């Protein structure tokens, strides 16, 4: 038995509602610490450096990769995203469950490097609903939406690699199922 607090990885295609489900899970269980990722993407309006992401230059990101500072990282729709390693370890050692909200390639890396991680895949009720959600976001240009749709289709195929697949039909229920499985081992 590991005496580290749980490491929970939440993944799934863009537009499935990962951040909404994660926000609700954190509200239901405030003991969970949400990892802040590093990214080379530019901030969207309202995003705060160090809170939503650490917004890095290409060079700064290269440096983190080279020094082994990232637990996992991946390129996604033209930008790089990664999980700072030390903060995850520190919170787990302090007894705080850690949650990563990341895309599928990163989840695979965690699967192979962290034996006791719990991998949760969020799936949309239907592929049509996913496309509708992606389009209705309204924060991205058409070309960006098209790129994300393509990635999302490939990501859906990865569901079988995860410990559990939860369908995000209703946010509260999905968040509760996530906690039941990943924290309490139910389901
Ligand atoms: P967005 O640009 O919409 O914030 O995020 C794009 C995608 O990158 C989402 O699927 C998000 O979950 C994922 N992502 C965010 N942080 C990380 C990270 O640290 N590592 C990986 N592999 N993916 C991440």
């Amino acid at each position: 038995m590991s005496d580290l607090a749980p490491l929970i990885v939440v993944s799934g295609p863009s537009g499935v509602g990962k951040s909404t489900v994660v926000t609700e899970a954190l509200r239901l269980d405030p003991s969970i610490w949400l990892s802040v990722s590093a990214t080379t993407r530019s901030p969207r309006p309202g995003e705060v450096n160090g809170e939503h992401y650490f917004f890095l230059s290409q060079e700064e990101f290269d440096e983190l990769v080279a020094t082994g500072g990232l637990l996992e990282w991946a390129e996604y729709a033209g930008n790089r995203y990664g999980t700072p390693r030390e903060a995850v370890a520190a919170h787990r050692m302090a007894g705080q469950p850690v949650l990563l909200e990341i895309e599928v390639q990163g989840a695979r890396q965690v699967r192979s490097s962290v034996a006791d991680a719990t991998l949760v895949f969020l799936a949309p009720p239907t592929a049509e609903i996913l496309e509708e959600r992606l389009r209705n976001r309204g924060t991205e240009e058409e070309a960006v939406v098209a790129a994300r749709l393509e990635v999302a289709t490939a990501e859906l195929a990865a569901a079988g690699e995860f410990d559990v697949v939860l369908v995000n039909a209703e946010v509260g229920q999905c968040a509760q199922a996530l906690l039941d499985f990943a924290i309490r081992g139910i389901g």
Side-chain angles (χ1 to χ4, degrees), residues 100-173:
L100 312 183
E101 183 205 322
I102 63 179
E103 53 68 74
V104 168
Q105 302 169 73
R108 285 196 181 111
Q109 291 169 44
V110 176
R111 158 69 82 218
S112 63
S113 65
V114 185
D116 63 350
T118 299
L119 272 73
V120 177
F121 189 90
L122 295 188
T126 66
E128 289 71 27
I129 289 176
L130 181 68
E131 174 159 1
E132 201 180 295
R133 286 181 188 168
L134 267 175
R135 291 197 178 284
N136 291 343
R137 247 182 202 189
T139 55
E140 317 286 6
E141 291 167 22
E142 180 57 30
V144 175
V145 173
R148 283 173 185 240
L149 261 178
E150 199 170 311
V151 176
T153 307
E155 285 183 327
L156 274 177
E161 299 171 38
F162 285 70
D163 295 314
V164 69
V165 176
L166 301 176
V167 175
N168 182 21
E170 200 279 312
V171 172
Q173 255 175 18

Side-chain angles (χ1 to χ4, degrees), residues 12 16 36 169 187:
V16 78
V36 180

